[in-house]
């Protein structure tokens, strides 16, 4: 502001005047000069200097000065005069030259070499650098030698109020509880001033509050923000924004200032009781609602927050105290009214409850303002619903004997319509629970009877579901479970508990226990099982005896006489077991005892156990294997026959099927063996007719290189040239001398072609349509072929294998003739 600027220049001019006066008092010549004193040049450690002319001589030093002062932030047009350097050696004749070195020399500070005047050529800032250390020299202008020892001095920058206070930690956020007493500390704000705190009042701060009154105040010197009113209410205003100012110069006019904001958040205390927005509530509840269902919600309002707003609901009194209960929803703080018992509109159509809501946590400081709870009335109206039939008991137990005849009454069930209409009920059994239809129920009376014979050993307890349906509205049904227990009768004889594998040693002593028997009975008499053991009279054994142990077990003992495997390997002992019921039931069980050769410890070494049985098993296995072999043989015959017949019916193809005769290679001489066999390619003859025309041009190229023809081989030369050309062009073909080609018939043969490729039509019918009797006239070599083609209805495979030998000889001779040519 203008007033602050005027104040600044006022103090500035006063400071300049005081500085000039002080310098004049010190020098008298207008410059800061050095005092003349005698200095002893000492070595480090106290000895005389090595530079002195004599060890005890003294040198008079002519210049020593104090630090200079310069005011910061000077903005004049001319350089700022700092001070003057002067030596007593300087007589004013210009022979002394002053030199200035050190921090800021030449860049910030300049010196007049002749007069020693020092000026500041730039504006200085104390906050950047508070002082400068420089060195001064006085030299002879002619010889440039020092006329005075080099000395060091300091130029100190004096402070002016050019920095405003700053809150480095701002803006601030603080919390204080509502309803706090006056003077409660909220937060401490701290401002810093970059000016010199040791010089003047430039860094002496004063705090004040610009915004936030009258709720808060701040201490001027410490910056502590405190509450100023006693009843700060969070529910009215939960936060306040304060502006705090810090001003230097102790807050006087002309001082600089800075400010920061402080956000004060009021925290909650439980100073408000809950209350219901309404005095009474009314809800409707269907009578068909299930137990534990929430049927109504009420909520009391509490302006507090957090734990101070947590509520607790309870039913004080009313006629629905046992029918309904209330709990608190921890998230919404609602009171949840839950159904505790089933409702019945016909019995009671409305309920009245008195509900209280109270704070879960109470602050004792505010109890004087009143109770922290509120009460409301809740009325629940029951709505009538057309309900399904209801059984008197949801689970019923009944009993029936397993010997009961079909149609025996087991028991009855009863259901009713809970509505006022009292609709008639129709009963039925759920099919899924009575799949075997053991029981039947009368649709009108609910009487359950047996529909099939029962067996306790098969099903001991029947679990059926009875369905009651309203006749007026079949969609309304009720269900009940009926458990029918089948009581036991003695209808199963006892038997041995397991299949015993018993043996006896040849050297067994008389009276030795061979086996201990136990029995089981599927029946379960009420007094428990009691079995009697004995040997059958018809199967009395002279080698063993039975002893009933009277504890539902029996022991088999040996009789005198000994045992030999060669006399009798297996003993069959019929054991009779009977129960103790009335009338008793019994069964005969055969125990097999094998005679074994045992060691001294009685352990069996050689037992041909069950040799007759093994023989029987082996015989059965052999019979089974023979039957399976016969079946497989018949299947093979059928498959072969079907293949032959299919071969007769299906046309022969060049690639898919090959004649048996054409694929047989027979040799009488020692040949290349495997190589010759691999070299044989039947496709060369099969494609003779198709490839002959395509390679006529190639065959002509061989004419010039072939041997001279003769009258005996002119027929074969074209064929040989063609095959030779094919072998030369085929990179995978074997050498020519290994090329095996057979059945070349030539031309003009009286027999024409014998290949079956031209006789495909003969295979398309069940009977041969061509006469092959002419083959018999061609000689013994073709007799087998005549038989083969002349009697097609005989066994084709038999003729094929019988003619293999002759075919081989025929092909062999023909191949020799061909190779000779």
């Amino acid at each position: 502001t203008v007033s602050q600027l005027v104040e600044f220049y006022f103090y500035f001019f006063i400071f300049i005047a005081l500085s000039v006066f002080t310098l004049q008092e010190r020098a008298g010549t207008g410059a800061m000069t050095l005092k003349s004193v005698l200095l002893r040049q000492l070595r480090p450690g106290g000895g005389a200097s090595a530079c002195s002319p004599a060890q005890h001589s003294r040198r008079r030093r002519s210049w020593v000065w104090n630090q200079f002062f310069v005011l910061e932030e000077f903005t004049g047009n001319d350089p700022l005069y700092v001070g003057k350097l002067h030596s007593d050696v300087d007589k004013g004749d210009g022979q002394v030259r002053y030199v200035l070195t050190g921090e800021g020399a030449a860049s910030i500070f300049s010196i007049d070499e002749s007069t020693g005047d020092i000026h500041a050529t730039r504006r200085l800032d104390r906050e950047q650098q508070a002082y400068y250390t420089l060195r001064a020299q006085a030299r002879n202008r002619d010889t440039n030698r020092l006329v005075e020892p080099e000395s060091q001095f300091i130029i100190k920058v004096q402070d002016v109020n050019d920095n405003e206070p700053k809150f480095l930690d701002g803006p601030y956020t603080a919390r204080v509880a509502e309803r706090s007493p006056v003077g409660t500390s909220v937060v401490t704000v701290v401002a810093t001033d970059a000016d010199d705190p040791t010089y003047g009042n430039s860094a002496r701060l004063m705090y004040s509050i610009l915004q936030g009154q009258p709720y808060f105040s701040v201490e001027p010197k410490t910056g502590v923000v405190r509450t100023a009113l006693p009843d700060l209410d969070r529910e009215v205003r939960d936060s306040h924004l304060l502006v705090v100012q810090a001003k230097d110069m102790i807050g006087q006019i002309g001082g600089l200032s800075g400010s920061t904001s402080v956000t004060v958040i009021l925290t909650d205390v439980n100073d408000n009781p809950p209350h219901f927005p309404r005095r009474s509530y009314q809800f409707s509840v269907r009578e068909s609602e299930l137990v534990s269902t929430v049927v109504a919600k009420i909520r009391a309002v509490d302006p507090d927050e957090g734990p101070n707003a947590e509520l607790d609901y309870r039913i004080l009194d009313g006629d629905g105290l046992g029918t309904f209960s209330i709990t608190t929803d921890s998230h919404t703080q609602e009171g949840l009214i839950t159904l505790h018992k089933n409702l019945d509109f016909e019995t009671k159509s409305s309920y009245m409850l008195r509900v209280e809501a109270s704070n879960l946590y109470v602050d004792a400081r505010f109890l004087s303002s009143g109770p922290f709870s509120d009460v409301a009335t809740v009325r629940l109206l029951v709505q009538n619903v057309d309900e399904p039939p209801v059984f008197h008991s949801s689970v019923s137990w009944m009993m029936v004997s397993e010997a009961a005849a079909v149609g025996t009454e087991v028991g009855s069930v009863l259901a009713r319509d809970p509505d006022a209409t009292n609709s008639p009920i129709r009963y039925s059994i759920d099919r899924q629970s009575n799949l075997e239809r053991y029981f039947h129920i009368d649709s009108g009376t609910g009487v359950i009877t047996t529909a099939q014979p029962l067996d306790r050993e098969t099903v001991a307890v029947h679990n059926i579901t009875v369905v009651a349906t309203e006749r007026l509205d079949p969609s309304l049904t009720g269900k009940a479970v009926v458990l029918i227990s089948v009581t036991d009768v003695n209808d199963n004889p006892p038997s041995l508990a397991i299949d015993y594998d018993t043996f006896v040693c040849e050297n067994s002593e008389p009276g030795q226990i061979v086996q201990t028997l136990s029995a089981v009975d599927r029946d379960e008499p009420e007094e428990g099982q009691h079995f009697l053991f004995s040997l059958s009279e018809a199967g009395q054994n002279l080698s063993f005896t039975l002893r009933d142990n009277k504890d539902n077990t029996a022991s088999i003992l040996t009789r005198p006489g000994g045992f030999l495997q060669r006399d009798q390997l297996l003993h069959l002992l019929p054991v009779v077991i009977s129960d103790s019921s009335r009338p008793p039931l019994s069964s005969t069980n055969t125990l097999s005892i094998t005679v074994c050769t045992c060691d001294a410890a009685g352990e069996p070494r050689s037992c041909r156990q069950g040799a007759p049985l093994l023989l029987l098993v082996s015989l059965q296995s052999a019979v089974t294997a023979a039957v399976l072999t016969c079946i497989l043989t018949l299947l093979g015959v059928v498959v072969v026959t079907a293949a032959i017949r299919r071969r007769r019916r299906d046309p022969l193809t060049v690639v898919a099927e090959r004649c048996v005769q054409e694929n047989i290679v027979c040799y009488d001489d020692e040949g290349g063996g495997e190589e010759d066999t691999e070299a044989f390619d039947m496709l060369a003859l099969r494609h003779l007719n198709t490839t002959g025309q395509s390679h006529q041009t190639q065959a002509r190229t061989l004419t010039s290189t072939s041997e001279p023809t003769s009258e005996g081989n002119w027929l074969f030369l074209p064929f040989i040239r063609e095959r030779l050309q094919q072998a030369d062009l085929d990179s995978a073909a074997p050498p020519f001398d290994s090329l095996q080609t057979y059945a070349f018939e030539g031309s003009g043969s009286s027999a024409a072609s014998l290949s079956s490729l031209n006789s495909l039509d003969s295979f398309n019918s069940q009977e041969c349509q061509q006469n092959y009797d002419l083959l018999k006239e061609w000689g013994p070599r073709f007799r087998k072929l005549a038989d083969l083609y002349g009697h097609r209805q005989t066994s084709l495979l038999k003729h094929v294998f019988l003619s293999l030998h002759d075919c081989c000889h025929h092909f062999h001779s023909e191949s020799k003739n061909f190779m000779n040519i």
Side-chain angles (χ1 to χ4, degrees), residues 39-55:
L39 294 180
R40 186 175 183 179
Q41 301 295 326
L42 301 176
R43 303 180 198 170
S49 174
C51 299
S52 59
Q55 183 175 2

Side-chain angles (χ1 to χ4, degrees), residues 305-454:
E305 65 179 6
N308 297 322
E310 293 182 2
L311 302 177
D312 180 34
Y313 296 89
R314 65 190 184 99
I315 299 176
L316 297 179
D317 52 35
D319 54 4
L321 188 60
T323 307
F324 300 93
S325 62
I326 188 169
T327 57
T328 303
D329 188 331
S330 59
H331 297 287
T332 63
Q333 297 302 314
E334 292 178 315
L336 308 179
I337 300 177
T338 306
L339 182 62
H340 193 63
K341 294 181 180 179
N342 290 323
L343 300 177
D344 187 6
F345 173 80
E346 289 72 22
T347 303
K348 188 173 181 61
S349 60
S350 65
Y351 295 87
M352 189 70 70
L353 303 173
R354 202 160 68 93
V355 179
E356 179 191 56
S358 60
N359 277 131
L360 196 59
Y361 306 100
V362 179
D363 194 336
R365 296 177 299 172
F366 306 102
L367 286 176
S368 59
S369 60
F372 279 75
S373 62
D374 197 11
V375 178
T377 302
V378 180
R379 186 182 183 188
L380 300 169
L381 302 179
V382 181
Q383 292 182 342
N384 187 24
V385 177
D386 194 0
E387 300 173 274
V390 178
F391 285 89
H392 283 183
S393 177
S394 59
V395 179
S396 301
W397 283 87
M398 301 179 184
M399 298 181 64
V400 62
S401 173
E402 65 175 329
V406 174
T408 301
E409 181 177 341
V410 180
S412 63
V413 293
L414 181 62
R416 64 178 182 86
D417 183 6
D419 299 320
T421 56
N422 196 16
S423 173
I425 304 299
R426 181 174 58 86
Y427 300 95
S428 63
I429 297 178
D430 189 353
R431 282 292 306 275
Q432 296 298 323
S433 64
N434 190 32
L435 295 176
E436 302 296 333
R437 300 190 178 183
Y438 285 109
F439 301 96
H440 171 74
I441 189 170
D442 188 284
S443 61
T445 62
V447 175
I448 300 174
T449 57
T450 59
Q452 289 188 21
L454 304 177

Side-chain angles (χ1 to χ4, degrees), residues 11-23:
Y11 286 108
F12 177 74
F13 286 124
I14 292 177
F15 174 76
I16 294 296
L18 292 175
S19 300
V20 172
F21 176 78
T22 303
L23 291 176

Side-chain angles (χ1 to χ4, degrees), residues 750-772:
S750 60
S753 176
L754 298 179
S755 174
S756 61
L757 297 176
N758 297 328
S759 305
L760 293 178
D761 294 338
S762 64
F763 291 89
N764 294 334
S765 61
Q766 296 295 330
E767 295 182 358
C768 182
Q769 301 298 329
Q770 185 174 355
N771 188 4
Y772 295 95

